[in-house]
Amino acid sequence: KAGVTQTPRYLIKTRGQQVTLSCSPISGHRSVSWYQQTPGQGLQFLFEYFSETQRNKGNFPGRFSGRQFSNSRSEMNVSTLELGDSALYLCASDPTGRTNTGELFFGEGSRLTVL
Amino acid sequence: AQSVAQPEDQVNVAEGNPLTVKCTYSVSGNPYLFWYVQYPNRGLQFLLKYITGDNLVKGSYGFEAEFNKSQTSFHLKKPSALVSDSALYFCAVRSAGGGNKLTFGTGTQLKVEL
């Protein structure tokens, strides 16, 4: 079974631009979560989607948004990029349905550098 | 609000010796507790979890963790460390109805030396 696939793996943007990151969960997984990892703030929860609906949201500004498609693939978008948005963005999928176990399968991440 | 504390930034241990990576937590209600490991330039891998039941939880690669409700701790342990265990370890917590909104600790770098 293929793992969680995130694209692109690396990207460089400049301040003010926007970026879209993609995540394909493991086949059959319907829950997708996104986390931001930085040296200063560590791992922080962004949002979670299940059946195309946002189920949970972290404490990030409205510049951070996401969505999930009917095939469970998910995208997240960051608009008006700031230097502080430089981070590793991790996507994780969950094999369970409405009752989450917290046993997440993570992708290798998309490393965003904002110049 | 839920929180996790990993008091040690780094733990050094000799190969073959037992290892412990410490974690304490704070959460409303019954905790769901997790350990994840991250190797360089990789995503996180699930090691083990505690939801309910026995306080000693066994997980992948010979790791285990002990849940202590009175001390609000969930320390990760392994009887005999391997050099290949060297990695970054994260403890995480969520509340019972929290979906997949995990709160992670700051991580502990484990270094196992020959």
Side-chain angles (χ1 to χ4, degrees):
Chain A
K1 225 177 196 182
V4 176
T5 304
Q6 293 188 244
T7 57
R9 289 291 314 279
Y10 303 91
L11 65 167
I12 299 173
K13 294 285 187 179
T14 56
R15 280 181 297 175
Q17 288 187 311
Q18 73 163 14
V19 66
T20 299
L21 308 178
S22 178
C23 172
S24 293
I26 293 171
S27 178
H29 291 196
R30 295 166 60 193
S31 168
V32 173
S33 305
W34 288 89
Y35 287 82
Q36 182 196 63
Q37 185 175 24
T38 60
Q41 299 297 317
L43 279 156
Q44 293 187 284
F45 174 80
L46 281 157
F47 22 66
E48 178 194 3
Y49 288 88
F50 177 77
S51 292
E52 303 178 65
T53 301
Q54 188 179 85
R55 187 156 62 173
N56 275 301
K57 189 176 188 306
N59 296 322
F60 278 82
R63 300 184 297 106
F64 292 80
S65 63
R67 60 178 174 168
Q68 187 180 33
F69 302 95
S70 58
N71 63 356
S72 295
R73 190 177 70 85
S74 177
E75 289 181 348
M76 66 163 284
N77 184 276
V78 187
S79 62
T80 319
L81 284 166
E82 301 177 359
L83 295 178
D85 297 332
S86 295
L88 180 66
Y89 290 88
L90 292 166
C91 169
S93 70
D94 180 344
T96 58
R98 299 188 183 281
T99 305
N100 302 106
T101 65
E103 184 176 337
L104 302 177
F105 292 76
F106 282 84
E108 296 195 337
S110 292
R111 184 166 295 281
L112 170 65
T113 301
V114 181
L115 302 176
Chain B
Q2 55 201 36
S3 64
V4 173
Q6 292 183 244
E8 302 154 317
D9 290 336
Q10 181 160 321
V11 169
N12 297 321
V13 64
E15 188 175 52
N17 283 0
L19 69 88
T20 298
V21 182
K22 296 179 180 178
C23 170
T24 58
Y25 67 90
S26 173
V27 68
S28 299
N30 294 324
Y32 284 31
L33 295 158
F34 309 86
W35 278 100
Y36 282 82
V37 60
Q38 186 176 34
Y39 296 97
N41 299 314
R42 304 295 296 274
L44 277 69
Q45 294 180 27
F46 170 82
L47 276 180
L48 51 79
K49 67 184 177 189
Y50 172 84
I51 296 177
T52 186
D54 289 341
N55 290 341
L56 185 64
V57 178
K58 294 190 183 295
S60 307
Y61 313 119
F63 284 94
E64 56 189 30
E66 187 167 11
F67 171 65
N68 187 315
K69 188 173 184 178
S70 62
Q71 297 186 4
T72 61
S73 66
F74 189 56
H75 301 330
L76 181 70
K77 301 181 180 184
K78 187 174 183 181
S80 179
L82 299 172
V83 171
S84 57
D85 293 330
S86 299
L88 187 57
Y89 290 80
F90 290 95
C91 181
V93 68
R94 58 161 264 216
S95 59
N100 280 326
K101 185 176 182 179
L102 301 185
T103 296
F104 284 87
T106 51
T108 298
Q109 185 70 48
L110 173 65
K111 188 174 182 181
V112 182
E113 299 164 312
L114 290 169

